[in-house]
Amino acid sequence: MYEDLPGLRQNAQVTSDYRADYQELVDEISELLGAPATLENRDFELIAFGAYDSEGDLDPTALDPVRTRSILTRRSTAAVRAWFEGFGITRATGPVRIPPNPQAGVYRGRICLPVRHRGVVLGYVWLLDSDPGPGERQLAAAMEVTARIGALLADEVQHGADLSRELRAVLTAERGWQADMAVAALRTALGPRGEGPHTLVCVAPWPSADPEDAPSARTVPHATALCTLPWGATALSLAVLVRLRSTDVRTPALTAASRLLKEAAALPVPPASGGHRPAVAAGVGEPGSGLAGLDTVWRQAAGAARAALAEPRLGPVAEWSRIGPYRLLTALPPDAPRDFAVAALLSPAHRDLARTAEVYLDCAGQAGRTAAELGIHRQTLYYRLSRVEQLTGLDLDDGEDRLLLHMALKGARL
């Protein structure tokens, strides 16, 4: 499985070669426009920057706070990103002038040159705006260079996009040296993209049982790797590694999950489903720093997806931290046997009684709330609860019996 480590080192060298090419192209734009330019990817992460020297001295105004921070930390803040994206740069096909916004830390106006390839925005070239600034011919010439940058970015993405084998190895390897080797291989393959906070998204069950029908990671926002994993006996799930800006901001993972759910809804209905589209849900694991512990994060994401399928109010995208008691229940094996005390209650013939008991326990044993939720008379409720006690042998006035019944009913949903 890991005999390809020399090839991964070769990939790292290829990445280094790309960086040199980006630097040359950014320097070319800086020369064309007579101003220092910076290149960022579509996630506003710095790729290269130019330091244009007009008369032997670097323009001191070129290093405003935003540009300085971008160069030093290699990324922009969320406030800066929101300000720039508000001017439609993700849709623009030509230069966009953006005024300053001191509240967001943008003290100088900008010119943004979108970097696109085959209609898809892959990054941005930034320049500080000035008066009079570059002319239309200069900007047109610079846009021709951005087209070359776009082709280069697309080629790099294509070169390193298929990391499904490395991600699958991390999520399925046994603990110990195999897991350590798998993480090391993925880290090497990702290079700089493997640094910082990550989480995993699980989408299940994926409408197609053919792994070839899985989307590419490069079509999913914020995804760095994607693979398929078994989901039950015949279905598949998608595992998506998502890079976050911080462990406190999970928006990229939620965006990726929502995009994949839309793709799932657009796929043909599986023939085995009898013409009915099966429910699909997504789960998001807890963010963590780096790539260590991804197997645990995967179990969380898969558990959250199971919870969303069992309890639609939690979905269609469920976060592990917000699924309550299902955090405990999803940790149990999917084929764990049902408790003997509730076996009879869970038969199809007693579906109404099981539902009544679950709502009653969800309502903390308050008869009035339960009757209102179910739309039944209190006397009907009391009769049903007495039948539940007869079938299970449990005492609904006993806290431990109520806990057992409640968890068994929730577990049955899974």
Side-chain angles (χ1 to χ4, degrees):
M1 179 182 295
Y2 304 108
E3 64 273 14
D4 291 338
L5 286 177
L8 295 176
R9 286 194 290 270
Q10 182 180 7
N11 287 348
Q13 179 60 49
V14 171
T15 298
S16 177
D17 293 341
Y18 279 117
R19 292 295 181 265
D21 292 338
Y22 293 136
Q23 188 63 57
E24 289 183 8
L25 293 170
V26 169
D27 289 342
E28 183 176 342
I29 291 178
S30 296
E31 290 289 339
L32 279 171
L33 302 183
T38 59
L39 170 64
E40 295 179 336
N41 65 20
R42 60 186 174 191
D43 291 324
F44 285 66
E45 296 167 339
L46 184 67
I47 297 175
F49 63 92
Y52 175 76
D53 187 351
S54 58
E55 296 181 358
D57 294 312
L58 177 65
D59 180 1
T61 64
L63 294 177
D64 80 335
V66 170
R67 188 171 191 268
T68 301
R69 185 185 189 281
S70 175
I71 292 173
L72 293 178
T73 67
R74 308 196 73 81
R75 66 176 60 224
S76 297
T77 66
V80 169
R81 177 173 180 168
W83 173 251
F84 288 151
E85 288 182 339
F87 288 87
I89 60 174
T90 60
R91 302 181 300 276
T93 56
V96 178
R97 278 187 159 87
I98 301 174
N101 178 23
Q103 290 77 15
V106 183
Y107 293 97
R108 293 281 306 278
R110 294 291 197 282
I111 299 176
C112 174
L113 308 180
V115 177
R116 310 185 79 89
H117 182 72
R118 295 182 177 177
V120 178
V121 64
L122 299 177
Y124 309 100
V125 171
W126 299 96
L127 304 105
L128 294 176
D129 205 355
S130 59
D131 189 13
E136 295 301 319
R137 287 188 178 181
Q138 288 175 292
L139 290 174
M143 285 300 298
E144 292 180 4
V145 181
T146 66
R148 288 152 57 195
I149 295 175
L152 197 64
L153 281 169
D155 186 68
E156 183 183 11
V157 169
Q158 176 66 35
H159 183 87
D162 189 12
L163 298 175
S164 59
R165 182 178 60 174
E166 289 81 0
L167 180 59
R168 186 179 294 108
V170 169
L171 302 184
T172 58
E174 295 183 4
R175 289 184 178 272
W177 69 269
Q178 287 188 348
D180 294 340
M181 288 290 291
V183 171
L186 179 60
R187 183 179 292 114
T188 301
L190 285 173
R193 291 180 296 160
E195 302 172 0
H198 286 83
T199 191
L200 282 161
V201 172
C202 170
V203 181
W206 189 247
S208 174
D210 185 353
E212 295 298 323
D213 291 337
S216 167
R218 63 181 182 272
T219 66
V220 182
H222 315 292
T224 55
L226 182 150
C227 71
T228 58
L229 289 171
W231 185 266
T234 59
L236 292 176
S237 63
L238 297 186
V240 188
L241 182 63
V242 177
R243 187 177 180 184
L244 306 175
R245 293 189 289 275
S246 76
T247 55
D248 297 328
V249 180
R250 309 181 188 196
T251 306
L254 301 178
T255 300
S258 298
R259 171 69 66 83
L260 287 168
L261 288 177
K262 288 182 180 179
E263 289 193 29
L267 290 175
V269 177
S273 65
H276 299 287
R277 184 175 294 278
V280 181
V284 180
E286 285 295 279
S289 297
L291 302 176
L294 285 183
D295 55 337
T296 298
V297 181
W298 170 245
R299 287 193 292 272
Q300 295 172 348
R306 286 179 62 201
L309 289 169
E311 189 65 79
R313 64 180 176 82
L314 297 174
V317 180
E319 298 178 57
W320 170 257
S321 60
R322 299 185 178 183
I323 61 174
Y326 286 103
R327 291 199 295 270
L328 294 175
L329 292 168
T330 55
L332 299 174
D335 57 352
R338 294 174 177 176
D339 188 275
F340 69 90
V342 298
L345 180 63
L346 294 176
S347 68
H350 300 304
R351 185 178 292 109
D352 287 343
L353 292 181
R355 172 64 177 158
T356 298
E358 185 176 0
V359 173
Y360 175 71
L361 295 169
D362 286 345
C363 293
Q366 298 180 28
R369 283 179 57 198
T370 307
E373 178 76 17
L374 295 171
I376 60 176
H377 193 275
R378 280 201 187 196
Q379 291 302 318
T380 303
L381 171 64
Y382 294 141
Y383 170 74
R384 290 184 182 179
L385 293 178
S386 68
R387 289 282 294 126
V388 168
E389 290 182 321
Q390 292 171 7
L391 281 170
T392 62
L394 299 175
D395 181 359
L396 293 184
D397 289 329
D398 182 272
E400 291 190 355
D401 282 2
R402 288 166 69 147
L403 176 61
L404 171 61
L405 179 59
H406 205 180
M407 297 302 278
L409 291 169
K410 295 296 184 187
R413 288 183 174 275
L414 298 172

